[in-house]
Amino acid sequence: MRTLESEIHDFFTSLEKNEEYSGSVLISKDEKILFNRGYSFANREHQVKNTPETKFRIGSITKQFTAMAITILQEHGELNVVDNVSKFIPSYKYGDQIKLHHLLTHSSGIPNITQLPNIKELMKQPTTTEKTVRLIMDLEPEFVPSSKFQYSNSGYILLAYIIEKTTGLTYEDFLSNQIFSPLGMKNSGCDNHKEIIPNRAQGYEYDNGIVNAEYIDMSFPIGGGNLYSTTEDLFKWDQSLYTERLVTRESLETIFAPHGFGYGYGWFIDVDQDRRRFFHGGGIVGFKNEIIRYVNDRITIIILNNLSTTNVEQIRNDLTKIVFQEY
């Protein structure tokens, strides 16, 4: 008789064989890890395999940590999500119209900085949060705040800047002090190409075969996509969100409220097959990831992947059917 674990392993082994998946996957039920394995290579040149300890750039999964940092600061009384952005960036001419809540929920109207025509060149250059914020301040909002949803990394870069301005700490230090250290997430942090980071995966893409992904400087996507982590650290993060270890139950309810657009603070929110689901993807050059939380079932699926052409959404859907035995 095939077990759930063998079924999942066969699924990923087939994907690995066809070079359709390269990464690490963790599945948990209640407080128990059901499945936790790596597939293909973290580094192809040195033939280093992916494992549960491999560190991946998590892309936009970063946003949920930025949102939690803002929520922590609100609980500390240092800011409020109804504050106008102009309170923190007085020179921003649109700041009186836009609240932190709008940044958190992608309803600010600020264009996505990744749509700039020279974005590929910009992302290769070392920068500071302040320099990137100045680029955003030149962008004219495309709609009245709260009137619609439009996904924008710009808002989360502004939030990272506001965290730094409010605390006097770097974004990295604040997250380390307030989230990573308390949760024992020892294998998570801000990516930096100069730093020696053991077990860090190399990112890959397709160009007539698998090649090294283009270089980007990770100082650019601060707050919106600059973190790295492991499946096991993200499991610790997931488990903490069932508790009040970081913030109160009331604050958690706000984080996971859909706010009219099916998006909480750093999380997409919907119902899948009558199951309440919180989830987010994380794509950044060379990496494409997913974290999915079925909260009523206490099932979490974490897919980290260092091959940017991988169809992670399809893998997520197929894997969900296997986990819930729906095929």
Side-chain angles (χ1 to χ4, degrees):
M1 181 178 174
R2 294 180 73 201
T3 63
L4 178 63
E5 183 177 6
S6 65
E7 234 181 299
I8 295 167
H9 178 57
D10 288 348
F11 172 69
F12 278 102
T13 299
S14 175
L15 291 171
E16 177 188 38
K17 184 179 178 182
N18 295 324
E19 293 192 330
E20 294 176 301
Y21 181 73
S22 172
S24 299
V25 59
L26 183 149
I27 300 166
S28 67
K29 166 72 174 169
D30 297 322
E31 299 174 3
K32 182 182 177 184
I33 294 174
L34 301 180
F35 189 87
N36 189 20
R37 297 185 71 151
Y39 295 88
S40 197
F41 294 103
N43 186 295
R44 289 172 180 264
E45 290 168 332
H46 295 287
Q47 296 287 284
V48 177
K49 287 279 194 176
N50 281 314
T51 74
E53 291 77 42
T54 302
K55 297 168 184 169
F56 298 82
R57 290 179 178 174
I58 61 173
S60 286
I61 293 173
T62 296
K63 291 180 174 67
Q64 55 205 241
F65 294 95
T66 303
M68 178 60 78
I70 291 290
T71 306
I72 289 169
L73 287 173
Q74 179 171 259
E75 288 205 349
H76 291 175
E78 296 187 55
L79 52 71
N80 194 293
V81 295
V82 298
D83 289 338
N84 291 330
V85 174
S86 56
K87 179 178 177 180
F88 309 95
I89 314 174
S91 59
Y92 183 31
K93 62 183 176 181
Y94 304 109
D96 286 335
Q97 307 164 29
I98 300 169
K99 301 182 186 302
L100 303 192
H101 172 82
H102 298 138
L103 303 180
L104 288 161
T105 56
H106 299 290
S107 60
S108 68
I110 302 171
N112 195 341
I113 194 170
T114 58
Q115 302 304 311
L116 289 174
N118 59 338
I119 187 62
K120 284 194 174 182
E121 291 309 312
L122 285 172
M123 291 183 74
K124 290 177 182 176
Q125 306 303 318
T127 189
T128 64
T129 313
E130 194 164 333
K131 284 181 182 177
T132 311
V133 165
R134 284 203 293 270
L135 290 173
I136 295 168
M137 287 168 63
D138 290 335
L139 303 173
E140 186 174 346
E142 296 178 335
F143 56 85
V144 174
S146 81
S147 65
K148 63 186 284 191
F149 175 91
Q150 181 173 281
Y151 193 88
S152 177
N153 289 286
S154 305
Y156 275 79
I157 293 170
L158 290 176
L159 289 169
Y161 181 68
I162 288 165
I163 290 165
E164 294 186 338
K165 292 286 284 185
T166 301
T167 65
L169 298 171
T170 64
Y171 173 80
E172 182 172 23
D173 284 346
F174 186 78
L175 261 60
S176 178
N177 294 343
Q178 297 294 325
I179 301 175
F180 298 148
S181 292
L183 298 184
M185 295 175 65
K186 297 178 181 178
N187 295 309
S188 302
C190 291
D191 205 359
N192 180 333
H193 78 280
K194 288 186 177 181
E195 192 176 337
I196 303 299
I197 300 177
N199 299 321
R200 173 166 49 183
Q202 169 68 33
Y204 298 97
E205 57 192 9
Y206 261 93
D207 184 6
N208 295 318
I210 295 176
V211 298
N212 288 316
E214 278 194 54
Y215 172 80
I216 66 168
D217 194 288
M218 293 301 286
S219 59
F220 187 85
I222 187 167
N226 67 316
L227 295 182
Y228 67 81
S229 192
T230 65
T231 52
E232 293 178 347
D233 266 15
L234 290 177
F235 171 68
K236 292 176 182 177
W237 165 243
D238 160 71
Q239 292 297 292
S240 78
L241 298 173
Y242 290 107
T243 74
E244 295 183 289
R245 291 183 68 184
L246 297 177
V247 292
T248 63
R249 180 68 51 197
E250 184 180 4
S251 289
L252 286 168
E253 287 174 0
T254 302
I255 287 172
F256 291 110
H259 300 294
F261 299 109
Y263 196 89
Y265 289 177
W267 293 88
F268 285 97
I269 297 159
D270 70 2
V271 175
D272 175 45
Q273 301 291 326
D274 295 324
R275 300 184 189 94
R276 196 172 181 215
R277 177 172 72 167
F278 304 142
F279 65 102
H280 213 289
I284 193 162
V285 179
F287 297 84
K288 202 171 180 188
N289 317 287
E290 285 271 343
I291 179 169
I292 313 100
R293 305 179 69 231
Y294 290 95
V295 289
N296 293 342
D297 302 274
R298 288 292 293 260
I299 285 176
T300 297
I301 298 171
I302 299 165
I303 305 166
L304 301 183
N305 159 74
N306 61 325
L307 181 60
S308 63
T309 47
T310 298
N311 190 342
V312 175
E313 295 84 0
Q314 186 62 52
I315 291 172
R316 174 194 72 193
N317 295 339
D318 291 343
L319 186 56
T320 299
K321 289 176 183 176
I322 295 171
V323 171
F324 285 103
Q325 299 289 285
E326 294 176 343
Y327 30 68

